[in-house]
Amino acid sequence: MSSQADQIVTVLKSRGLRVTPQRFAVYANLLGRCDHPTADDILHDLNQAAPTSSQATVYSSLQALRGANLVREVLLEEGVCRYDANVGPHHHFRCQSCGAIADIPWETLSSLDLQTLSPRWQIEGYEVTVRGLCDRCQPA
């Protein structure tokens, strides 16, 4: 078993998760990408060579990983749930033309003053989504 595979197994076990082939495959897939895929994107990737996973299995694996704080759901557009293995604090940029998504380091937008919001709100956290055009989609 490779070092990365050993690390994945160790992380899953340390979070109290049973290591199933499907859960391992879903987590490994997410760790290897930064495009914030949907569950269907992950299913498509896992079934490239031969159909081995079902949609229900991918969803249940994602929910177990989310419950263990190993992945998070990212809602960058209405009605589309994406997943991210980067669970550290960060923000997102989404291109309104091609749909590309990129992480923005937390410190980049650290000057937000939450004290100016309503005192009746109990703020537990926030995440900023910046929308615009990526460098590939900007007019020449």
Side-chain angles (χ1 to χ4, degrees):
M1 200 185 260
S2 76
S3 174
Q4 182 184 17
D6 289 339
Q7 288 177 330
I8 291 171
V9 168
T10 300
V11 167
L12 292 174
K13 286 181 178 180
S14 74
R15 297 296 176 98
L17 294 176
R18 207 172 85 247
V19 181
T20 64
Q22 297 84 0
R23 197 171 284 160
F24 179 94
V26 168
Y27 190 49
N29 181 275
L30 273 169
L31 287 172
R33 59 196 306 170
C34 58
D35 62 342
H36 305 74
T38 64
D40 287 337
D41 294 334
I42 296 167
L43 178 64
H44 180 263
D45 276 6
L46 297 181
N47 289 338
Q48 281 292 323
T52 57
S53 293
S54 69
Q55 190 176 45
T57 301
V58 169
Y59 275 107
S60 66
S61 295
L62 286 167
Q63 292 312 307
L65 293 167
R66 188 177 67 100
N69 294 318
L70 292 173
V71 302
R72 68 179 185 166
E73 292 180 341
V74 180
L75 305 170
L76 301 174
E77 61 221 88
E78 192 172 328
V80 179
C81 185
R82 297 181 173 279
Y83 295 88
D84 190 356
N86 178 359
V87 294
H90 65 280
H91 307 287
H92 294 98
F93 170 82
R94 183 167 189 283
C95 179
Q96 292 182 292
S97 179
C98 71
I101 299 167
D103 289 346
I104 299 172
W106 185 261
E107 311 77 49
T108 305
L109 302 174
S110 63
S111 63
L112 293 176
D113 184 7
L114 299 180
Q115 300 301 316
T116 61
L117 299 175
S118 173
R120 297 176 301 185
W121 298 345
Q122 181 178 339
I123 308 298
E124 296 177 1
Y126 69 95
E127 179 180 312
V128 174
T129 301
V130 177
R131 292 177 176 80
L133 296 177
C134 69
D135 55 345
R136 293 184 315 254
C137 294
Q138 293 174 28

